[in-house]
Amino acid sequence: MQTSTGSVGPGLRGPFRDSYADCDYAALTPRKLAEVTREHGVDFATALLYDRIRHAEPHRAFIEAVDAIDPAASLPSTSARLLIAPAAFWREYPQLGADGAAVLAVARALGFSAERIPAPSTGGVTENARIIRDALAKEEDGSVILVSLSKGGADVRVALEDGGAPLRKVRAWINVCGLVHGTPLVDQFFAGPWWRRMMVRAFLARHRADFSLIRELGHAPGSPLSARAVAPDGVHVINVIACPLSEHTSGALAKRHRQLATLGPNDGSTLLTDAIVDGGVVYPVWGADHYFRTPDAPNLIRRILLHLGTAGHLPASPAA
């Protein structure tokens, strides 16, 4: 997680609050959001989705509870372990927050025992899901708070969908900007010119990454991640999604944001509706992009972890 300058919240009054008055969050399907985007542009659709999430239950109550937490508060004594499923290329690009170092710092400052799962930074979804399951198998039942970043969300999704003993270890899953349904960028890539595929192959080869790293993140029907992800039974899922306007993105991420803009609101890597595990609560972050660059990112993660403690989602310490 990096910080950046940018607005910390939109003034959602007037046109946003009054437009599409008959469209609540449930009505803003991917098809409807694509329609709104065609009529009013991707920035309008992004603000509309952000507003509707914040006013829909159970998300509204969750957001208000998290916002009410004093970040200076202490965490109740807990035996929970926090494990991070990092993003792709976390070794190569730690400056983008892919390694989860900022989350680890926040968690440890609160008193969690916290570690990064040793998933290869260039591993595919199937490979990393197996490693996550192996890591979970070593933990106590109901003891783990999983935090996934970007592609780590796809890795965790597949790991938990297999069920069994590793799933019983997980108490909560915080899915941050997760590629839990892949990304249309992969589909566009395979439909694009041959020379672009050669460039990507060269990039992967330079980092000794298998082509499955890209292929397994397909979004089209029939792709491994195309079916809707659903919160596993017994796991409290928190989806943290970034809601950037065009002005909040830059560099390569801005280009990818434009590529996805015809399909609807996106964070520069995936559609916002595709970053959500159904059945979980959603906390939308205004002005952040897929790299979760927003000034309040560390405090937000801290407040979410504190909320898990105050809401009874953490196992108590045996000594408590």
Side-chain angles (χ1 to χ4, degrees):
M1 299 185 303
Q2 286 185 311
T3 60
S4 71
T5 58
S7 57
V8 296
L12 289 182
R13 299 180 180 86
F16 292 111
R17 187 61 52 78
D18 299 335
S19 295
Y20 295 92
D22 59 334
C23 278
D24 59 9
Y25 173 49
L28 289 179
T29 63
R31 178 176 293 183
K32 184 64 176 180
L33 285 167
E35 175 189 310
V36 174
T37 299
R38 286 192 298 271
E39 293 181 2
H40 301 286
V42 69
D43 287 347
F44 181 96
T46 299
L48 183 67
L49 177 62
Y50 174 91
D51 179 69
R52 296 307 189 257
I53 292 173
R54 290 186 63 89
H55 289 85
E57 297 295 356
H59 317 298
R60 182 193 62 80
F62 168 70
I63 293 165
E64 290 181 355
V66 169
D67 289 349
I69 294 286
D70 179 1
S74 298
L75 186 75
S77 182
T78 178
S79 60
R81 287 254 293 156
L82 187 141
L83 300 181
I84 290 181
F89 298 106
W90 62 267
R91 289 187 185 276
E92 293 78 7
Y93 299 102
Q95 70 273 20
L96 296 178
D99 61 355
V103 178
L104 286 174
V106 169
R108 289 168 179 166
L110 282 172
F112 278 100
S113 169
E115 293 182 11
R116 182 190 306 110
I117 295 173
S121 65
T122 56
V125 173
T126 301
E127 177 186 5
N128 284 7
R130 176 184 57 78
I131 292 170
I132 290 170
R133 285 177 62 82
D134 289 345
L136 290 174
K138 302 173 184 176
E139 305 296 333
E140 297 294 327
D141 284 0
S143 67
V144 175
I145 308 301
L146 272 175
V147 179
S148 62
L149 308 175
S150 186
K151 175 187 166 286
D155 301 340
V156 168
R157 171 191 173 172
V158 173
L160 298 187
E161 281 181 338
D162 284 342
L167 176 58
R168 295 199 300 271
K169 314 294 181 172
V170 182
R171 180 67 64 98
W173 171 19
I174 304 173
N175 166 45
V176 181
C177 300
L179 298 180
V180 291
H181 297 98
T183 169
L185 291 171
V186 169
D187 306 327
Q188 294 174 8
F189 162 74
F190 281 110
W194 65 269
W195 53 264
R196 186 174 296 163
R197 291 192 292 275
M198 292 300 294
M199 289 177 61
V200 172
R201 284 185 180 274
F203 172 83
L204 294 173
R206 187 178 65 189
H207 293 297
R208 299 181 180 179
D210 190 87
F211 201 63
S212 65
L213 173 61
I214 299 295
R215 189 176 300 279
E216 290 186 322
L217 290 174
H219 177 270
S223 299
L225 299 172
S226 60
R228 290 302 301 179
V230 179
D233 289 341
V235 177
H236 183 61
V237 176
I238 297 171
N239 300 284
V240 180
I241 66 171
C243 297
L245 300 183
S246 301
E247 68 187 54
H248 296 139
T249 63
S250 60
L253 207 62
K255 180 180 179 181
R256 297 199 296 270
H257 186 267
R258 290 193 298 271
Q259 282 180 256
L260 291 172
T262 57
L263 301 177
N266 69 89
D267 63 9
S269 287
T270 192
L271 300 178
L272 300 190
T273 52
D274 285 337
I276 294 171
V277 176
D278 293 344
V281 289
V282 183
Y283 192 110
V285 182
W286 182 256
D289 61 20
H290 184 72
Y291 299 141
F292 205 36
R293 292 181 285 197
T294 178
D296 194 45
N299 271 339
L300 174 57
I301 293 298
R302 183 181 177 92
R303 291 198 304 272
I304 288 175
L305 292 175
L306 286 168
H307 170 75
L308 288 175
T310 58
H313 294 298
L314 299 180
S317 172

